[in-house]
Amino acid sequence: MTPQITADAPAIHGGRPLFSSPVRFIKPTLPLLKRVLRSYRPVYHSGLITNAALVSRLEESAAEVLGTTHCVAVSSCTSGLALTLKALGLRGEVILPSFTFFATGHAVLWNNLTPVFADCDPATWTLDAASVKARITERTCAILAVHLYGNPCNVEALADVASQHGLKLIFDAAHAFGSMHNRRPVGQFGDAEVFSLSPTKLLVAGEGGLVSTDDAVLARRLRAARNYGDLGAYDPELLGLNARMSEFNAALALAGLPMTDLKITRHNEIARLYTSGLADLPGLGFQRVLPNDVSTYKDYSVLVDAAGFGLSRDRLAEALLAENIVTKKYFSPPLHSQTLFRPFYRGDHPVPNTDLAAGTVLSLPIYESLPDETVEKISYAIRRLATSRSELSKATAGVSR
Ligand SMILES: *Cc1c(COP(=O)(O)O)cnc(C)c1O
């Protein structure tokens, strides 16, 4: 027996899709082009189109917003992370989460450093300080933590472990421009924090990154590192890259900077709307943001426990796609399960919370221009799938797995 086909049936069971055209997963809100061109046009005519006046202005503005002494603009967060590890002169093992985007791990491998994967906290999904501590050896040189989806790490716990063992502490803050921890802006913590300005993040330069630090020596080395390691002597101080930011990218980010507060407010509204629409469903897990913290909610994800919810994460994703709702699995598979990083994973140091999170995570559409009605309809689609399975499991054996 197959489920009855009615207008109210989920699309995956033959009903009409809730949306007639695809709901995009992400859509950046860019500043008015005329605003961007107002600052870029004179620069273009001056001929100084890379790492010049607008880049300096972006660095100053960002340092002011973040409340840090130094901000160094680079070509991407990936190059910023790689150059930060290089400029700190690290050697040996770096402890990092496995539940992150692979660029976090690339920065480690590009420096011939050994990645050591630690577990995430089951509630906040950010790097667990106790798991880090358990992996420290005499070769450990640094901790590279990630403010996942913009949710600030447990900074104090990580800083304690770092200072007890004389380790550097770096944050991959790719998602976290505008996040607050204990009422202080992310950007002020650790030895350095590295932001991404690529189009899937909230502050967009097109391509770009920002390294914030209070360490003047590190800032100076980063300014050299992004320019082949050279600060003008034509004799590189260290091995660098061309990782400069172009003026156009800086113009875009400068015009976007005043929009970030509103974007974060809207992302938080959408997150609240999703959570209130889904909180009472069985089998769903939500990311915990600490009371004095603000997440940017760069992404909004839930964990789908197949037994409790009645559908697996993958089956739920398929069912939502049938409704024309595009979702992602950020970040799955976790790094230690990817070809590039698997050789560094040690079976005697398992990461069960990471396996669970990455194995069940589903990220829902979230961006400023996503209307409330769409968010409510997506929540409805998920609710309907959760409640329809009790009838369906009677009709179709095995559908609940
Ligand atoms: C996007 C992202 C990066 C890389 O940022 P780019 O600016 O694209 O290099 C690094 N880490 C995390 C966690 C990211 O999501």
Coordinates of all heavy atoms in Angstrom, one line a residue, residues 76-79 81 100-101 103-104 146 172 174-175 195-198 200-201 207-209 298 331, ligand 1:
S76 N 42.4 36.0 1.5 CA 41.3 35.1 1.9 C 41.6 34.7 3.4 O 42.7 34.9 3.9 CB 41.3 33.8 1.0 OG 42.4 33.0 1.3
C77 N 40.6 34.1 4.0 CA 40.8 33.5 5.3 C 41.8 32.4 5.3 O 42.6 32.2 6.2 CB 39.4 33.1 5.9 SG 39.5 32.3 7.5
T78 N 41.7 31.6 4.2 CA 42.7 30.5 4.1 C 44.1 31.0 4.1 O 45.0 30.4 4.8 CB 42.4 29.6 2.8 OG1 41.0 29.3 2.8 CG2 43.2 28.3 2.8
S79 N 44.4 32.0 3.3 CA 45.8 32.5 3.2 C 46.1 33.2 4.5 O 47.2 33.1 5.0 CB 46.0 33.5 2.0 OG 45.2 34.6 2.2
L81 N 45.0 32.4 7.6 CA 45.3 31.3 8.6 C 46.7 30.7 8.3 O 47.5 30.6 9.2 CB 44.3 30.2 8.5 CG 42.9 30.5 9.1 CD1 41.9 29.4 8.7 CD2 43.0 30.6 10.6
T100 N 34.6 21.1 11.1 CA 34.8 22.4 10.6 C 34.9 22.3 9.0 O 34.9 21.2 8.5 CB 36.1 23.0 11.1 OG1 36.3 24.4 10.6 CG2 37.4 22.2 10.8
F101 N 35.1 23.4 8.4 CA 35.3 23.4 6.9 C 36.8 23.1 6.7 O 37.7 23.4 7.5 CB 35.0 24.9 6.4 CG 35.2 25.0 5.0 CD1 34.5 24.2 4.1 CD2 36.0 26.0 4.4 CE1 34.6 24.4 2.7 CE2 36.2 26.2 3.1 CZ 35.5 25.4 2.2
A103 N 39.2 24.2 5.0 CA 40.2 25.2 4.9 C 41.0 25.4 6.3 O 42.1 25.7 6.3 CB 39.6 26.6 4.5
T104 N 40.3 25.1 7.4 CA 41.0 25.2 8.7 C 42.2 24.2 8.7 O 43.3 24.5 9.1 CB 40.0 24.8 9.8 OG1 38.7 25.4 9.6 CG2 40.6 25.2 11.2
V146 N 37.7 27.0 16.1 CA 36.8 27.6 15.1 C 35.5 28.1 15.8 O 34.9 27.3 16.6 CB 36.4 26.6 14.1 CG1 35.5 27.1 13.0 CG2 37.7 26.0 13.4
D172 N 40.0 30.4 14.0 CA 39.4 30.6 12.7 C 38.0 31.2 12.9 O 37.1 30.6 13.3 CB 39.3 29.2 12.0 CG 38.6 29.2 10.7 OD1 37.9 30.2 10.4 OD2 38.7 28.2 9.9
A174 N 36.2 32.7 10.6 CA 35.7 32.9 9.2 C 34.2 33.3 9.3 O 33.7 34.1 8.5 CB 35.8 31.6 8.4
H175 N 33.5 32.7 10.3 CA 32.0 32.9 10.3 C 31.6 34.0 11.3 O 30.4 34.3 11.4 CB 31.3 31.6 10.8 CG 31.6 30.4 10.0 ND1 31.3 29.1 10.5 CD2 32.2 30.2 8.8 CE1 31.7 28.2 9.6 NE2 32.2 28.9 8.6
F195 N 39.3 36.2 9.9 CA 38.0 36.3 9.4 C 38.0 36.1 7.9 O 39.0 36.4 7.2 CB 37.4 37.7 9.6 CG 37.3 38.1 11.1 CD1 38.3 38.8 11.7 CD2 36.2 37.7 11.8 CE1 38.2 39.1 13.1 CE2 36.1 38.0 13.2 CZ 37.1 38.7 13.8
S196 N 36.9 35.6 7.4 CA 36.7 35.4 5.9 C 35.7 36.5 5.4 O 34.7 36.7 6.0 CB 36.2 34.0 5.6 OG 35.8 34.0 4.2
L197 N 36.0 37.0 4.2 CA 35.1 38.0 3.6 C 34.6 37.5 2.3 O 34.3 38.2 1.3 CB 35.8 39.3 3.4 CG 36.5 39.9 4.7 CD1 37.1 41.3 4.3 CD2 35.6 40.1 5.8
S198 N 34.5 36.1 2.2 CA 34.0 35.5 0.9 C 32.5 35.6 0.9 O 31.9 35.9 1.9 CB 34.5 34.1 0.8 OG 33.8 33.3 1.6
T200 N 29.9 33.8 1.0 CA 29.0 33.1 1.8 C 29.0 33.6 3.2 O 28.2 33.1 4.1 CB 29.3 31.5 1.8 OG1 30.6 31.4 2.3 CG2 29.2 31.0 0.4
K201 N 29.8 34.5 3.6 CA 29.9 35.0 4.9 C 29.1 36.3 5.0 O 28.6 36.8 4.0 CB 31.4 35.2 5.3 CG 32.3 34.2 4.8 CD 32.2 32.8 5.4 CE 33.1 31.9 4.7 NZ 33.5 30.6 5.1
E207 N 36.3 38.4 -2.4 CA 37.3 37.4 -1.8 C 38.1 38.3 -0.8 O 38.4 39.4 -1.1 CB 38.3 36.8 -2.8 CG 37.6 35.9 -3.8 CD 37.1 34.6 -3.3 OE1 37.3 34.3 -2.1 OE2 36.4 33.9 -4.1
G208 N 38.5 37.7 0.3 CA 39.3 38.4 1.3 C 39.3 37.9 2.6 O 38.4 37.0 3.0
G209 N 40.2 38.3 3.4 CA 40.3 37.9 4.8 C 40.9 39.0 5.7 O 41.4 40.0 5.1
K298 N 25.8 32.6 10.9 CA 26.2 32.5 9.5 C 25.5 31.3 8.9 O 25.0 31.3 7.8 CB 27.8 32.3 9.4 CG 28.4 32.6 8.1 CD 28.2 31.6 7.0 CE 29.2 30.5 7.1 NZ 28.9 29.5 5.9
F331 N 29.3 20.6 8.7 CA 30.3 20.3 7.8 C 30.5 18.8 7.8 O 31.1 18.3 8.7 CB 31.6 21.0 8.1 CG 31.5 22.5 7.9 CD1 31.2 23.3 9.0 CD2 31.6 23.1 6.6 CE1 31.1 24.7 8.8 CE2 31.5 24.5 6.5 CZ 31.2 25.3 7.6
Ligands
LIG1 C1 34.9 29.9 4.5 C2 35.7 29.3 5.6 C3 37.1 29.4 5.5 C4 37.8 29.9 4.3 O1 37.6 31.2 4.0 P1 38.1 31.8 2.6 O2 38.0 33.3 2.8 O3 37.2 31.3 1.5 O4 39.5 31.3 2.4 C5 37.9 29.0 6.6 N1 37.3 28.4 7.6 C6 36.0 28.2 7.7 C7 35.4 27.6 9.0 C8 35.2 28.7 6.7 O5 33.8 28.4 6.7

